Amino acid sequence: QVQLVESGGGLVQPGGSLRLSCATSRSIFSIYTMGWYRQAPGSQRELVAAITSGGSTNYADSVKGRFTISRDSAKNTVYLQMNSLKPEDTAVYYCKAEQRVFAYWGQGTQVTVSS
């Protein structure tokens, strides 16, 4: 059974920072593309950022220059560093592992940006 264990969400003021983590097994981490998605109330789930097993990244336009996705092979963990957070970044953030027809999701972690 594939597990993606997320952590790092919480409440932060506008302009603040948070770092999300998603840990999984080596067999998944070594070959799957890892991504972060988010879903705000009443909205569809959307891609925030993704990183391939080779280290290539892509970002949603709304987070470019503010968020950074990275992966640590020693810990089988992918990170999402979120800086300059805005109220519109408020959502449940989900980790996803994907390769071809296979996809696995984490349980989600709440990020709330509010003063």
Side-chain angles (χ1 to χ4, degrees):
Q1 184 175 355
V2 176
Q3 283 191 313
L4 302 175
V5 181
E6 300 149 341
S7 61
L11 173 64
V12 64
Q13 292 186 341
S17 298
L18 281 175
R19 188 178 78 159
L20 306 182
S21 301
C22 173
T24 188
S25 64
R26 175 163 293 280
S27 62
I28 293 295
F29 186 83
S30 62
I31 61 174
Y32 277 59
T33 291
M34 304 296 294
W36 287 98
Y37 288 70
R38 66 187 181 188
Q39 187 168 19
S43 299
Q44 291 187 331
R45 193 172 297 188
E46 62 176 1
L47 173 68
V48 176
I51 184 166
T52 68
S53 57
S56 297
T57 59
N58 69 289
Y59 296 89
D61 288 343
S62 60
V63 306
K64 283 180 180 177
R66 300 188 298 123
F67 292 9
T68 302
I69 190 170
S70 61
R71 52 194 297 152
D72 185 336
S73 298
K75 298 182 178 180
N76 300 322
T77 298
V78 62
Y79 301 100
L80 184 68
Q81 178 66 44
M82 305 186 294
N83 298 328
S84 302
L85 282 160
K86 305 175 181 179
E88 50 263 44
D89 295 317
T90 295
V92 178
Y93 283 70
Y94 297 90
C95 179
K96 181 184 182 183
E98 183 174 22
Q99 191 212 22
R100 296 181 182 177
V101 298
F102 299 100
Y104 305 96
W105 291 91
Q107 79 283 0
T109 185
Q110 177 70 45
V111 171
T112 302
V113 184
S114 176
S115 56

